[in-house]
Amino acid sequence: MTMQKQRTTSRTGSTAGTGPAAAVRLADVSVRFRSKKRDVTAIGDVSLDVAPGEFVAIVGPSGCGKSTLLKLVAGLLTASSGEVLLGGEQVTGPRHDIGYVFQRAALLEWRSALRNILLQAEIRHMEPASARERVDDLIRMTGLTGFEDAYPHELSGGLAQRAATALALIGDAPLLLADEPTTGLDRDLVERTVDELRRHTDEGRALLIITHDLAAAERIADRVAVMYAGRIVEIADAAPFFGAPGPRHPYARGLLDALPERDFAPIPGMPPELGALPDGCAFAARCAYADARCTDERPAFASDLACHHAPTGRTHPLKEAADA
Ligand code: SF4
């Protein structure tokens, strides 16, 4: 059964602007570097707001810049241009007021799972009795019961990931970043973990999650941001994205069509390398609706979509392209 999504605050727009401070604001952010004598744009002109109490899932192929985007928000990377703001404050370095669930569990090898989590409580100056109560709750929630005294090398990948999730949740930080937090978990634990993350959001905290697990995103996200080749190509409310009318961008549509429970039809070809992006739309070589404009001109991100065949009125972009 799908968990009830309860948004406690209204969301802000997808692009940076005026209004109350977003929990996270990315305003025209790019990350560029030089590798093997090539200029690489790991992130290009990304704008995204996440409101307090909002759960945004970032989806896209491996290597499209999702983890880079999360590291920017955490202050572990610096933007080449644009602004990254948390609660209206510019991010200038690593932040200690966020919870971060890493792709690979970051646990201290010489401390048991329980003592790893308790250490976080100490670092966050939690009162010992309430910290212990909260840790016990998190151990139950993440399915770590029975493994409290195990050391990281004694934990399977899935168990270590559960400990990492508990560790990030312990301080009830106002912002939680999660990079593939359900990797290696069985379905039951995936649902328990994402439901706990959802509860964290329903208490007014913001959550930005990277996931390949579209079923998990559908279960708990308020909005979905789709990335391709270093750019956000679509932002949509989760309900219409996963239901009707569905995604608007051809890549996003292909992503859902590839699911076994849908058409099970993978998108042909591979994404371009970030160091060798074409002049036009990065998806053009794989897109059934590409035309000359697509190959010549990179589509701007406007109205939550980066596609030359944006809808006009009630017309769907794919239908419009097919009819052209
Ligand atoms: S801009 Fe053109 S090639 Fe790119 S996704 Fe839209 S229709 Fe396809």
Side-chain angles (χ1 to χ4, degrees), residues 249-251 281 283-284 287 289-291 294 299 306-309:
H249 192 279
Y251 167 69
C281 173
F283 189 60
C287 181
Y289 309 98
D291 59 13
C294 299
C307 177
H308 288 311
H309 300 289

Side-chain angles (χ1 to χ4, degrees), residues 163-311:
T165 302
L167 201 126
L169 289 173
I170 183 69
D172 287 332
L175 170 65
L176 191 66
L177 306 176
D179 191 349
E180 296 284 1
T182 57
T183 301
L185 305 186
D186 62 34
R187 204 67 232 161
D188 182 48
L189 267 170
V190 166
E191 292 183 357
R192 280 165 62 183
T193 301
V194 295
D195 286 354
E196 179 60 21
L197 294 176
R198 178 74 235 180
R199 193 191 60 71
H200 181 89
T201 315
D202 288 340
E203 289 174 354
R205 301 174 184 100
L207 204 148
L208 197 51
I209 182 176
I210 289 175
T211 185
H212 282 106
D213 189 334
L214 295 175
E218 180 177 9
R219 184 179 174 87
I220 35 77
D222 294 312
R223 280 192 299 155
V224 183
V226 183
M227 287 192 74
Y228 191 82
R231 287 180 157 76
I232 290 181
V233 295
E234 179 171 356
I235 298 176
D237 285 337
F241 183 88
F242 290 109
R248 294 188 294 159
H249 192 279
Y251 167 69
R253 182 155 285 245
L255 199 62
L256 292 198
D257 286 346
L259 292 172
E261 62 274 24
R262 299 204 181 194
D263 291 351
F264 209 7
I267 305 169
M270 298 288 288
E273 284 184 38
L274 294 177
L277 294 180
D279 292 338
C281 173
F283 189 60
R286 308 174 75 192
C287 181
Y289 309 98
D291 59 13
R293 186 179 175 209
C294 299
T295 49
D296 290 347
E297 189 188 322
R298 184 167 296 159
F301 187 78
S303 302
D304 290 346
L305 186 70
C307 177
H308 288 311
H309 300 289

Side-chain angles (χ1 to χ4, degrees), residues 58-96:
I58 304 176
V59 302
S62 298
C64 71
K66 304 186 299 292
S67 294
T68 304
L69 193 143
L70 228 55
K71 285 179 189 151
L72 270 174
V73 175
L76 302 174
L77 269 181
T78 306
S80 310
S81 59
E83 275 190 329
V84 183
L85 305 169
L86 298 189
E89 213 178 278
Q90 188 138 9
V91 175
T92 53
R95 303 279 300 217
H96 303 292

